[in-house]
Amino acid sequence: QSALTQPASVSGSPGQSITISCTGTSSDVGSYNLVSWYQQHPGKAPKLMIYEGSKRPSGVSNRFSGSKSGNTASLTISGLQAEDEADYYCCSYAGSSVVVFGGGTKLTVL
Amino acid sequence: QITLKESGPTLVKPTQTLTLTCTFSGFSLSTSGVGVGWIRQPPGKALEWLALIYWDDDKRYSPSLKSRLTITKDTSKNQVVLTMTNMDPVDTATYYCAHSVESWFDPWGQGTLVTVSS
């Protein structure tokens, strides 16, 4: 069980769109539609932004969207806002009720 | 409204056993499909899943830490307890508990920082 691979950092200007990738294997991301994404501001607990690959919890902006292709899941944030600056983590079910997180991506809004 | 809060020691010595309690409200751990998970985050580092316990008392552990972890629940007290044996300075982290459905976690507790030092 290895951590999912995310880029260490991404950046974008206000109003732009960015995409964060999350690469796993055929044993986790590739086998299940159970990828979730979390936003974490400094000193705060993570917040669920996407579950089951592309579903948004109530209250999460529709600027956040999720998708998957093969062993790679993606989080797209459109219309970037300053408040989106945070760390983002992906998470996938890996079978046998085991869960694995990604290494995290720091989003900087320029 | 679902809330969770972690409690336990802020400082433990190397080789000691850590016991953390997650006290929750707004849901029942006897409801089908519901679980509570533990996740930790070393300072400046990534999240790491530790363990999950489900409504039916099914328990799952991170393969890399399985030998050191035990998760239990007390449904009547709305509590989940995580114990981790043989603590080491590398286990210094903020420990979170979270409500879980399927494999996602929502919401999370505020976290509790545990430092391992002699």
Side-chain angles (χ1 to χ4, degrees):
Chain A
Q1 179 203 11
S2 300
L4 306 175
T5 300
Q6 298 181 233
S9 63
V10 298
S11 63
S13 299
Q16 289 186 330
S17 294
I18 63 94
T19 296
I20 299 171
S21 62
C22 169
T23 301
T25 69
S26 57
S27 298
D28 39 61
V29 175
S31 287
Y32 307 97
N33 200 26
L34 290 173
V35 173
S36 51
W37 289 90
Y38 302 86
Q39 176 192 65
Q40 186 180 34
H41 287 110
K44 301 295 187 181
K47 174 187 176 184
L48 178 68
M49 305 302 284
I50 296 287
Y51 66 100
E52 286 187 351
S54 60
K55 297 180 179 178
R56 278 188 310 275
S58 173
V60 172
S61 171
N62 59 10
R63 298 186 297 106
F64 292 82
S65 62
S67 62
K68 190 185 86 167
S69 177
N71 296 338
T72 298
S74 298
L75 173 71
T76 297
I77 308 174
S78 59
L80 265 181
Q81 299 179 1
E83 67 210 49
D84 299 331
E85 184 162 296
D87 293 327
Y88 290 85
Y89 293 91
C90 62
C91 177
S92 177
Y93 181 70
S96 302
S97 297
V98 169
V99 169
V100 61
F101 279 93
T105 298
K106 181 177 180 61
L107 169 62
T108 300
V109 180
L110 302 171
Chain B
Q1 178 194 6
I2 293 175
T3 64
L4 307 98
K5 187 173 184 179
E6 306 86 353
S7 59
T10 58
L11 178 66
V12 298
K13 295 183 183 333
T15 75
Q16 287 187 335
T17 294
L18 171 68
T19 299
L20 294 173
T21 301
C22 176
T23 303
F24 57 85
S25 63
F27 69 97
S28 172
L29 202 38
S30 59
T31 300
S32 179
V34 173
V36 170
W38 284 94
I39 304 101
R40 71 178 180 179
Q41 184 174 38
K45 296 189 177 181
L47 300 170
E48 179 184 19
W49 173 69
L50 300 177
L52 260 169
I53 189 165
Y54 294 96
W55 84 102
D56 59 356
D57 210 36
D58 185 23
K59 302 167 187 179
R60 301 290 171 162
Y61 299 99
S62 166
S64 61
L65 292 167
K66 184 175 183 177
S67 63
R68 300 173 54 205
L69 297 173
T70 302
I71 190 170
T72 60
K73 65 181 176 71
D74 187 330
T75 305
S76 65
K77 292 184 178 180
N78 281 354
Q79 291 182 333
V80 170
V81 175
L82 180 76
T83 61
M84 179 180 290
T85 61
N86 194 24
M87 293 292 285
D88 183 272
V90 300
D91 297 312
T92 293
T94 296
Y95 288 75
Y96 296 98
C97 65
H99 170 264
S100 180
V101 174
E102 292 284 353
S103 62
W104 58 88
F105 302 100
D106 180 52
W108 297 50
Q110 63 188 27
T112 184
L113 176 62
V114 177
T115 300
V116 184
S117 175
S118 54

